[in-house]
Amino acid sequence: MKAWSEARRARQVARIRRQKPWLHSTGPKSAGGKGQSALNARKHDMYSAEMNAIRAHLRAWRRELKDLTADDR
């Protein structure tokens, strides 16, 4: 795929700002669509498997630091 030129990118930005597609977005209508949409945060956001692993690592690290500082007292 060929990269867009700066002129083409500027035309596209102007077109999108003129059309404002975000004003016409209605979101999911069906119960299934709403359920699927509700799961997006689990896959892409703060509750993704990667973020859960990071949080678990940080919790273990905090426990270790707490134990080390308790031993110094």
Side-chain angles (χ1 to χ4, degrees):
M1 187 171 131
K2 198 170 166 182
W4 283 16
S5 67
E6 288 301 316
R8 183 176 180 191
R9 189 180 310 275
R11 284 192 310 271
Q12 184 67 15
V13 166
R15 184 178 301 124
I16 289 171
R17 287 188 177 148
R18 197 171 47 249
Q19 291 175 348
K20 299 179 184 173
W22 55 89
L23 295 178
H24 306 286
S25 176
T26 60
K29 299 280 188 190
S30 69
K34 289 179 182 183
Q36 184 63 41
S37 177
L39 295 175
N40 285 345
R42 293 235 178 253
K43 185 173 182 183
H44 304 292
D45 201 16
M46 291 301 291
Y47 299 104
S48 67
E50 183 180 1
M51 286 302 295
N52 286 338
I54 290 170
R55 275 195 293 278
H57 182 70
L58 288 173
R59 278 192 301 272
W61 211 21
R62 277 191 216 110
R63 280 192 302 272
E64 184 69 27
L65 287 173
K66 190 176 180 181
D67 291 344
L68 288 173
T69 56
D71 289 344
D72 289 342
R73 290 183 191 159

